[in-house]
Amino acid sequence: MIVLSLYVNVCAYMHSLVSLDYLSLQMKDVITLSNSAMSTLSGVLVLDARTHNRGLIISENEFTGRLPEMPGSTTTISAGDRRPRGSGWFNFKNLLALSFDRNKFTGTLPIDLFRGLSKSLLTLDMGFNQLTGTVPIELSWMSNLERITAPGNQLTGTLPFEMGRLTDLIQINLTSNKLTGTVPQKLCVHLDGESLLMQQFGCDAILCPPGTYHPEGAASVHGGCRQCKRSSSKLLGATQCENDNSFLVGDIDGDGIVSPREVLRLLFVETDGEQWGDKFKPWFNLRVNQCDLAGVTCVGSEIAKIDLTEAALCTDGQGGGGDPDNCPGLPAELGNLSTLEILLLNDRHHLKGTIPTQLGKLSRLKYLDFSNCDGLSGTVPSELGKLSALRVFNLSGARLNGTIPESLYSLHELEKLWFSKNVFTGTISSRIGQLTSVREVMLSRNRLRGTIPTEIGELAVLENLELFSNALHGTIPLTIGLCRNLKRVDWFNNFLTGTVPDVMGNLGELQIVHLKKNRLTGTIPAFLGQLVKLEWLDLSSNRFEGTIPESFAYLRALKDLRLGNNKLFDPIPQALCSQNKINNGLTKRHGCDAVLCSLGTYSDSGYATEKDGCTECPPGETNLYLGSQSCIEFTVEDMISMFYEVMKGSDDSPFDYDSKGRRDAESSACLWEGITCDEEGHILSISFPTFDTSN
């Protein structure tokens, strides 16, 4: 498509566009003004009528003056008072779309426009100008017209009954004018088969009759035209009544209440229900009982469950995202469904908008699932802390932000809190200890900071605590030992420090301990080998030292063991190397390498995998620890430093090796304490002081 950027002199370029298929002068898409002080376009736009244009779009500019009667072989759209006389719209025999909405055109609609484009035009947009006069009968000559819009003008008079000849018409919008009379019944009949609104509201879906009103000027998906209490107006399409503007969105029958059935219809409308799928079409038709709708489960005659996991909310019907204008999101009126117990909207990726605060009124709600609705935005409403019956709250993958509301910790019946994969910030509140019924807390993959609160120990029935991939720091709270039912501890990829506390040895139900990628220190606790139900243990990428406890050899349920990228030494318990269940049974092929790669070898995971075993370090390179993920080039000084580390013993050892510059990369080992070298710098001997062990 050819795109034209017009700066100051518009008309100088227009005559040369003889090959342009589609001409758009929309301000936001095409015209670029070099002078930002310009508020209107001036001059005359001339389009050569010998072209084969299929669309002429000059929407959203500030053209003024009257719509032209076109002369000869050119079409002139004037700004100001220039208005050539004559007729030339007949030359645009290929024009399919004409849009000049949202300008400042005045005067009446030129009859020659409708005559000249009567055989070709499909779309005509004239809205939001200052057009006057009547709707000409010649409009009915446009036999192929599918869409006509002219809202927001000052058109007067009645609609020609000949408009009933427009049998191909799909959309019409004439609201916010000064029309009188009635809408031609034949026109309504033609549109009935094309529009759900026409089927429900008839001619009111084109213009509200005199004495009625609607905020949009015609019956819409949000409700029908309402009778004015006191009105002498004879205008069609009134948008308000004097002292009577109590229109209630979603109240289709006009009784002043949005019933549960009307709420379901509103939910359908606000999430582009026409794309949900064929079996959901009856949601729009109020004549279909609410308990007969797909995705709705009733107890008696009351709505107890809504499951829309098979409905294509806010899509284009082909799996992609739909028009955002057709999907404002979940209506607040959902809060009126007082009998609702289960609301399932999970995996509706194109659902837009925010979570309505009014959901906090659903006092019977037990199960709320917005998981993987990653098109949602905003925060978690604090009002949801009023859902006193709630047992399962799932927002995983909804990409919500803000902090976790303190009010949620008052949900004493809550059993599962699934908030992973959002963008929550702040800390984990100490009030978490009030969730005394909770069995699963999943807060992983957020941006939470702070420490793990000690009040976690008050969750006596807690089974699963997932906090991985946050920014938590501090030590593992000792109160974790009180969670005797805990089966899963998944806290990897944080900044936890300190040691693994002995109290975790009391957690006999533990099946998964995942603490990799923290900053934990000390030795690997031997008590972990006493957790007979332990199936998965990952302590990799920490700062653990020492050896693997012998007790690990007796973990008969253990299937996955990850200890790489620490500071571990030989020996590996031989019985562990013969455990056939560990790491997919790779001990049968790789022996101890399936537990940890030996010194002088490495792998990406720190142990031999199904795809690759452990690889020997390149010549001149090695590593210091079991389970290394890489090799480096070691100098003599590096190797002797390792000996000093081993021989130093405890921190109160009297052997001071740093005083000789051992950590000075520029210092030769020959200058270190206990090192003797020959004249050529070759090490002859290494001696270590004898420590007094009598104390």
Coordinates of all heavy atoms in Angstrom, one line a residue, residues 79-121:
A79 N -11.8 23.1 1.6 CA -11.7 23.5 3.0 C -11.9 25.0 2.9 O -11.3 25.7 2.2 CB -10.4 23.2 3.6
G80 N -12.8 25.5 3.7 CA -13.2 27.0 3.6 C -14.4 27.2 2.7 O -15.3 26.4 2.7
D81 N -14.4 28.2 1.9 CA -15.5 28.5 1.1 C -15.4 28.1 -0.4 O -16.3 28.4 -1.2 CB -15.8 30.0 1.1 CG -16.1 30.5 2.5 OD1 -16.8 29.7 3.2 OD2 -15.8 31.6 2.9
R82 N -14.4 27.4 -0.8 CA -14.2 27.1 -2.2 C -15.1 25.9 -2.5 O -15.0 24.8 -2.0 CB -12.8 26.7 -2.5 CG -11.8 27.8 -2.2 CD -10.4 27.4 -2.5 NE -9.4 28.4 -2.0 CZ -8.1 28.2 -2.2 NH1 -7.6 27.1 -2.7 NH2 -7.3 29.2 -1.8
R83 N -16.1 26.1 -3.4 CA -17.0 25.0 -3.8 C -17.3 25.0 -5.2 O -18.3 25.7 -5.7 CB -18.3 25.2 -2.9 CG -19.3 24.1 -3.1 CD -20.4 24.2 -2.1 NE -21.4 23.1 -2.3 CZ -22.5 23.3 -3.1 NH1 -22.7 24.4 -3.7 NH2 -23.3 22.3 -3.2
P84 N -16.6 24.3 -6.1 CA -16.9 24.3 -7.5 C -18.3 23.7 -7.7 O -18.8 22.9 -6.9 CB -15.8 23.4 -8.1 CG -14.7 23.4 -7.0 CD -15.4 23.6 -5.7
R85 N -18.9 24.1 -8.8 CA -20.2 23.6 -9.1 C -20.2 22.5 -10.2 O -19.2 22.4 -11.0 CB -21.1 24.7 -9.6 CG -21.3 25.8 -8.6 CD -22.1 26.9 -9.1 NE -22.3 28.0 -8.1 CZ -23.0 29.1 -8.4 NH1 -23.5 29.3 -9.6 NH2 -23.1 30.0 -7.4
G86 N -21.2 21.7 -10.3 CA -21.2 20.7 -11.3 C -21.4 19.3 -10.7 O -21.8 19.1 -9.6
S87 N -21.1 18.3 -11.5 CA -21.3 16.9 -11.1 C -20.2 16.0 -11.6 O -19.8 16.1 -12.7 CB -22.6 16.4 -11.6 OG -22.8 15.0 -11.2
G88 N -19.6 15.2 -10.6 CA -18.5 14.3 -11.0 C -18.4 13.0 -10.3 O -17.5 12.3 -10.5
W89 N -19.3 12.8 -9.3 CA -19.2 11.5 -8.5 C -19.4 10.3 -9.4 O -19.0 9.2 -9.0 CB -20.2 11.6 -7.4 CG -19.8 12.4 -6.2 CD1 -20.4 13.6 -5.9 CD2 -18.8 12.1 -5.2 NE1 -19.8 14.1 -4.8 CE2 -18.8 13.2 -4.3 CE3 -17.9 11.1 -5.1 CZ2 -18.0 13.3 -3.3 CZ3 -17.1 11.2 -4.0 CH2 -17.1 12.2 -3.1
F90 N -20.0 10.5 -10.6 CA -20.2 9.4 -11.5 C -18.9 8.8 -12.0 O -18.9 7.6 -12.4 CB -21.1 9.8 -12.7 CG -22.5 10.2 -12.4 CD1 -22.9 11.5 -12.1 CD2 -23.5 9.2 -12.3 CE1 -24.2 11.8 -11.7 CE2 -24.8 9.5 -12.0 CZ -25.1 10.8 -11.7
N91 N -17.9 9.6 -11.9 CA -16.6 9.1 -12.4 C -15.9 8.1 -11.4 O -15.0 7.4 -11.8 CB -15.6 10.3 -12.6 CG -16.1 11.2 -13.7 OD1 -16.3 10.8 -14.8 ND2 -16.3 12.5 -13.3
F92 N -16.5 8.0 -10.2 CA -15.9 7.1 -9.2 C -16.6 5.8 -9.2 O -17.1 5.3 -8.2 CB -15.9 7.7 -7.8 CG -14.9 8.8 -7.6 CD1 -15.1 10.1 -8.1 CD2 -13.7 8.5 -7.0 CE1 -14.2 11.1 -8.0 CE2 -12.8 9.5 -6.8 CZ -13.0 10.8 -7.3
K93 N -16.6 5.1 -10.4 CA -17.4 3.9 -10.5 C -16.9 2.7 -9.8 O -17.5 1.7 -9.6 CB -17.6 3.6 -12.0 CG -16.2 3.3 -12.7 CD -16.5 3.0 -14.2 CE -15.1 2.8 -14.9 NZ -15.3 2.5 -16.3
N94 N -15.6 2.8 -9.3 CA -15.0 1.7 -8.6 C -14.9 1.9 -7.1 O -14.4 1.1 -6.3 CB -13.5 1.5 -9.1 CG -13.5 1.0 -10.5 OD1 -14.1 0.0 -10.9 ND2 -12.8 1.7 -11.4
L95 N -15.4 3.1 -6.6 CA -15.3 3.4 -5.2 C -16.1 2.5 -4.4 O -17.3 2.4 -4.6 CB -15.6 4.9 -5.0 CG -15.2 5.5 -3.7 CD1 -13.7 5.6 -3.6 CD2 -15.8 6.9 -3.5
L96 N -15.5 1.9 -3.4 CA -16.2 1.0 -2.5 C -16.5 1.6 -1.1 O -17.5 1.2 -0.5 CB -15.4 -0.4 -2.3 CG -15.1 -1.1 -3.6 CD1 -14.3 -2.4 -3.3 CD2 -16.4 -1.5 -4.3
A97 N -15.5 2.4 -0.7 CA -15.7 3.0 0.7 C -15.4 4.5 0.6 O -14.4 4.9 0.0 CB -14.7 2.3 1.6
L98 N -16.3 5.2 1.3 CA -16.1 6.7 1.4 C -16.3 7.1 2.8 O -17.4 6.8 3.4 CB -17.1 7.4 0.5 CG -17.2 8.9 0.6 CD1 -15.9 9.6 0.2 CD2 -18.3 9.5 -0.3
S99 N -15.3 7.7 3.4 CA -15.4 8.1 4.8 C -14.9 9.5 5.0 O -13.8 9.8 4.7 CB -14.6 7.1 5.7 OG -15.1 5.8 5.7
F100 N -15.8 10.4 5.5 CA -15.3 11.7 5.8 C -15.9 12.1 7.2 O -16.1 13.3 7.5 CB -15.8 12.7 4.7 CG -17.3 12.7 4.4 CD1 -18.2 13.4 5.1 CD2 -17.7 11.9 3.3 CE1 -19.5 13.3 4.8 CE2 -19.0 11.9 2.9 CZ -20.0 12.6 3.7
D101 N -16.0 11.1 8.1 CA -16.5 11.3 9.4 C -15.4 12.1 10.2 O -14.3 12.1 9.9 CB -16.8 10.0 10.1 CG -15.7 9.0 10.1 OD1 -15.2 8.6 9.0 OD2 -15.2 8.7 11.2
R102 N -15.9 12.7 11.3 CA -15.1 13.5 12.3 C -14.3 14.6 11.6 O -13.1 14.7 11.7 CB -14.2 12.5 13.0 CG -14.9 11.6 14.0 CD -14.0 10.6 14.7 NE -14.7 9.9 15.7 CZ -15.5 8.9 15.5 NH1 -15.7 8.4 14.3 NH2 -16.2 8.3 16.5
N103 N -15.0 15.4 10.8 CA -14.5 16.7 10.3 C -15.4 17.8 10.7 O -16.2 17.6 11.7 CB -14.3 16.6 8.8 CG -13.1 15.8 8.4 OD1 -12.0 16.3 8.4 ND2 -13.3 14.5 8.0
K104 N -15.5 18.9 9.9 CA -16.4 20.0 10.3 C -17.1 20.4 9.0 O -17.4 21.6 8.8 CB -15.6 21.2 10.8 CG -14.9 20.8 12.2 CD -14.1 22.0 12.7 CE -13.5 21.7 14.0 NZ -12.7 22.9 14.6
F105 N -17.5 19.4 8.2 CA -18.3 19.7 7.0 C -19.7 20.2 7.4 O -20.3 19.7 8.4 CB -18.4 18.5 6.1 CG -17.1 18.1 5.4 CD1 -16.5 16.9 5.7 CD2 -16.6 19.0 4.5 CE1 -15.3 16.6 5.1 CE2 -15.4 18.6 3.9 CZ -14.8 17.4 4.2
T106 N -20.2 21.1 6.6 CA -21.5 21.7 6.8 C -22.4 21.5 5.6 O -22.0 21.0 4.6 CB -21.4 23.2 7.2 OG1 -20.7 23.9 6.1 CG2 -20.7 23.4 8.5
G107 N -23.6 22.0 5.7 CA -24.5 22.0 4.5 C -25.2 20.7 4.4 O -25.2 19.8 5.3
T108 N -25.9 20.5 3.3 CA -26.8 19.3 3.1 C -26.0 18.2 2.4 O -24.9 18.5 1.8 CB -28.0 19.7 2.3 OG1 -27.6 20.2 1.0 CG2 -28.9 20.7 3.0
L109 N -26.6 17.1 2.4 CA -25.9 15.9 1.7 C -26.1 16.1 0.2 O -27.3 16.2 -0.3 CB -26.5 14.6 2.1 CG -26.3 14.3 3.6 CD1 -27.1 13.0 4.0 CD2 -24.9 14.1 3.9
P110 N -25.1 16.1 -0.6 CA -25.2 16.3 -2.1 C -25.9 15.1 -2.7 O -25.4 14.0 -2.6 CB -23.8 16.5 -2.6 CG -22.9 15.8 -1.5 CD -23.7 16.0 -0.2
I111 N -26.9 15.4 -3.5 CA -27.7 14.3 -4.1 C -26.8 13.5 -5.1 O -26.9 12.3 -5.2 CB -28.9 14.9 -4.8 CG1 -29.9 15.4 -3.7 CG2 -29.6 13.8 -5.7 CD1 -31.1 16.1 -4.3
D112 N -25.9 14.2 -5.8 CA -25.1 13.6 -6.8 C -24.2 12.6 -6.2 O -23.7 11.6 -6.9 CB -24.3 14.6 -7.6 CG -25.2 15.3 -8.6 OD1 -26.3 14.8 -8.9 OD2 -24.7 16.4 -9.1
L113 N -23.9 12.7 -4.9 CA -23.0 11.7 -4.3 C -23.7 10.4 -4.3 O -23.1 9.3 -4.6 CB -22.7 12.2 -2.9 CG -21.7 11.3 -2.0 CD1 -21.0 12.1 -1.0 CD2 -22.5 10.2 -1.3
F114 N -25.0 10.3 -3.9 CA -25.7 9.1 -3.9 C -26.0 8.6 -5.3 O -26.1 7.3 -5.5 CB -27.0 9.3 -3.1 CG -26.8 9.8 -1.7 CD1 -27.0 11.1 -1.4 CD2 -26.3 8.9 -0.7 CE1 -26.8 11.6 -0.1 CE2 -26.1 9.4 0.6 CZ -26.3 10.7 0.9
R115 N -26.3 9.5 -6.2 CA -26.5 9.0 -7.6 C -25.3 8.4 -8.2 O -25.3 7.4 -8.8 CB -27.0 10.2 -8.4 CG -28.4 10.7 -8.1 CD -28.8 11.9 -8.9 NE -30.2 12.4 -8.6 CZ -30.7 13.5 -9.1 NH1 -29.9 14.3 -9.8 NH2 -31.9 13.8 -8.9
G116 N -24.2 9.2 -8.1 CA -22.9 8.8 -8.8 C -22.3 7.5 -8.2 O -21.7 6.8 -8.9
L117 N -22.5 7.2 -6.9 CA -21.9 6.0 -6.3 C -23.0 4.9 -6.0 O -22.7 4.0 -5.3 CB -21.3 6.4 -5.0 CG -20.2 7.5 -5.0 CD1 -19.7 7.9 -3.6 CD2 -19.1 7.2 -6.0
S118 N -24.1 5.0 -6.7 CA -25.2 4.1 -6.4 C -24.9 2.7 -6.7 O -25.5 1.8 -6.1 CB -26.5 4.6 -7.2 OG -26.2 4.5 -8.6
K119 N -24.0 2.4 -7.7 CA -23.8 1.0 -8.1 C -22.6 0.4 -7.4 O -22.5 -0.8 -7.4 CB -23.5 1.0 -9.6 CG -24.7 1.5 -10.4 CD -26.0 0.7 -10.2 CE -27.1 1.2 -11.1 NZ -28.4 0.5 -10.8
S120 N -21.7 1.2 -6.8 CA -20.4 0.6 -6.3 C -20.3 0.7 -4.8 O -19.8 -0.3 -4.2 CB -19.2 1.3 -6.9 OG -19.2 2.7 -6.6
L121 N -20.7 1.7 -4.2 CA -20.4 2.0 -2.8 C -20.9 0.9 -1.8 O -22.1 0.6 -1.9 CB -20.8 3.4 -2.4 CG -20.1 4.0 -1.2 CD1 -18.6 4.2 -1.6 CD2 -20.8 5.3 -0.7

